[in-house]
Amino acid sequence: MKKGLGKLACILSMAVALAACGSGQSNGPQATPGQGGEQAAGDQPVEIRLGGGFASEETFWLMQIDPSLTPNQGKSYTLNLTQFRANADRLNAYQANQIDIASIGQGATMLAASQGIPLKVIASVVKDSPDEGFNTKFMALKDSGITSIADLKGKVIGIPDFKAPTDLWARSAVRSAGLDPDVDVKYAVIPIPSMGEAVKSKKIDVGVFPQPFYETAYASGEFVEVFNSKTGVPVEEDFLVMMANPDFLANNEQAVKDFLSDFTNAVKYYQENGAEARQKLIDANKVQADPELYVNMTDSHRAVDGKVNIEAWSQLQEMLVEEKWVDSPVDPNTIIDMSYLPN
């Protein structure tokens, strides 16, 4: 098990880690193994230790600052949110029993399950859906002469990590244009906050721009879109999901159900009142971004019922197998459990 974790720690970073977006702790929690794994005594609420990231998790941040969205918080459960920069860090904390639930990439979850790590997927956090919500952009300079994927032969694409969604998006898009992603293009690992400068300084030819970095780059008038996350992966992805410890779920069923009820309340509010919700996060200093651009941006799609698209999981796993990222495929039905979500 530890050997499998070590392999995962080396290759995984499936969620885009945006150090300039979001706020809170960036180091792992200091809880000792065993904490949070048993039902609290008497009427004390259950502490839910959630490991999250720095991007696309507005609904969790809203749960921290707006009590009206979480009527069960402080009663049946308390939320202890710790932010991590990459999926590998969350997996390490999860394996060490330092967190009970991790907000983590869909691909990372499948890789972890294929390595034999016990887990259950209990909800979708954010999706990357064709023709619905924001899709991550890959952009070049307008004066670069790059206007299509076919122009990428011999060029360098910037991604935040290998074997990450951005890596799969880039490789699949390149392949869709008849190019060989292993021969015709090169890749460079660039932190997301540095992507725009790397393109402008011509260290790379094309960079990946999630929100709110896309809004900043687009507003500058210097960039042009070459392709996006759905160009080569035209299926709905549960880009981030909640991966939970099965023992914690068994010991704290009602607390988890109440937490997910509050979570879906927050998602519904965010989906229906995006600008107002983002302004609340700016006012609470939960997000460090240009206020005007952030508040008015088009954000990713989220499922208000929190449900995972099981059929799409099988489609994405086929792509991971094709890329030889997954050696032992898993049946999504064996790791997805949506019974804790509100009916």
Side-chain angles (χ1 to χ4, degrees):
M1 186 68 68
K2 294 296 184 183
K3 182 177 180 182
L5 177 63
K7 179 180 179 182
L8 283 169
C10 291
I11 67 173
L12 291 178
S13 230
M14 301 295 291
V16 180
L18 308 185
C21 183
S23 61
Q25 290 175 282
S26 59
N27 297 318
Q30 300 302 311
T32 56
Q35 288 184 330
E38 299 178 355
Q39 179 70 44
D43 296 328
Q44 293 298 311
V46 173
E47 180 187 34
I48 296 178
R49 300 169 301 165
L50 173 63
F54 288 89
S56 301
E57 297 186 0
E58 279 84 356
T59 46
F60 292 144
W61 307 333
L62 284 169
M63 292 178 73
Q64 289 184 302
I65 68 169
D66 190 345
S68 70
L69 300 174
T70 58
N72 297 302
Q73 190 168 188
K75 297 177 181 177
S76 61
Y77 77 92
T78 59
L79 182 60
N80 180 356
L81 175 62
T82 303
Q83 292 171 285
F84 297 85
R85 293 189 182 279
N87 281 347
D89 299 326
R90 272 165 273 188
L91 281 166
N92 283 329
Y94 179 85
Q95 280 289 92
N97 197 28
Q98 294 178 333
I99 57 176
D100 309 303
I101 300 175
S103 173
I104 199 164
Q106 177 181 354
T109 306
M110 287 191 285
L111 286 169
S114 72
Q115 291 290 326
I117 295 176
L119 61 90
K120 288 293 182 181
V121 175
I122 59 173
S124 174
V125 177
V126 62
K127 295 179 179 286
D128 197 297
S129 307
D131 304 319
E132 189 167 8
F134 177 78
N135 299 131
T136 300
K137 314 298 184 186
F138 288 75
M139 298 196 293
L141 290 175
K142 281 186 175 180
D143 61 3
S144 67
I146 300 173
T147 58
S148 70
I149 305 173
D151 297 325
L152 294 178
K153 188 170 184 178
K155 306 299 185 182
V156 180
I157 302 175
I159 55 176
D161 203 359
F162 292 113
K163 288 187 169 63
T166 49
D167 189 3
L168 180 64
W169 294 337
R171 294 174 61 83
S172 298
V174 168
R175 189 178 283 115
S176 74
L179 300 178
D180 187 332
D182 293 309
V183 176
D184 293 325
V185 299
K186 296 180 180 180
Y187 308 90
V189 173
I190 305 290
I192 288 292
S194 303
M195 199 70 68
E197 188 57 40
V199 175
K200 289 194 286 187
S201 65
K202 300 186 178 179
K203 292 180 180 178
I204 58 176
D205 299 290
V206 172
V208 57
F209 294 82
Q211 292 288 37
F213 298 96
Y214 166 75
E215 294 295 339
T216 301
Y218 179 78
S220 74
E222 300 177 83
F223 294 85
V224 61
E225 179 181 338
V226 181
F227 62 94
N228 64 52
S229 55
K230 298 294 92 179
T231 301
V233 187
V235 300
E236 180 174 84
E237 297 176 65
D238 288 294
F239 182 56
L240 290 177
V241 300
M242 287 192 223
M243 180 184 82
N245 183 313
D247 291 337
F248 181 82
L249 296 176
N251 291 334
N252 303 286
E253 180 178 350
Q254 190 57 51
V256 173
K257 287 183 175 181
D258 289 344
F259 161 67
L260 289 180
S261 176
D262 289 351
F263 168 74
T264 54
N265 281 343
V267 174
K268 185 175 187 295
Y269 169 74
Y270 184 77
Q271 287 292 90
E272 295 177 354
N273 307 277
E276 176 183 291
R278 288 189 288 272
Q279 186 61 59
K280 285 186 178 182
L281 294 173
I282 288 287
D283 294 341
N285 294 318
K286 297 298 292 183
V287 173
Q288 300 171 13
D290 182 296
E292 183 175 354
L293 293 177
Y294 177 71
V295 167
N296 297 301
M297 73 182 189
T298 299
D299 205 355
S300 301
H301 173 54
R302 290 166 169 80
V304 295
D305 58 6
K307 290 185 177 179
V308 170
N309 185 333
I310 297 181
E311 180 181 353
W313 277 61
S314 298
Q315 293 175 296
L316 183 65
Q317 183 167 232
E318 290 176 5
M319 297 180 190
L320 298 179
V321 171
E322 181 181 352
E323 295 290 348
K324 296 182 171 55
W325 291 1
V326 172
D327 297 325
S328 303
V330 299
D331 180 358
N333 290 285
T334 64
I335 62 172
I336 294 173
D337 184 353
M338 290 185 279
S339 66
Y340 296 88
L341 288 165
N343 293 326

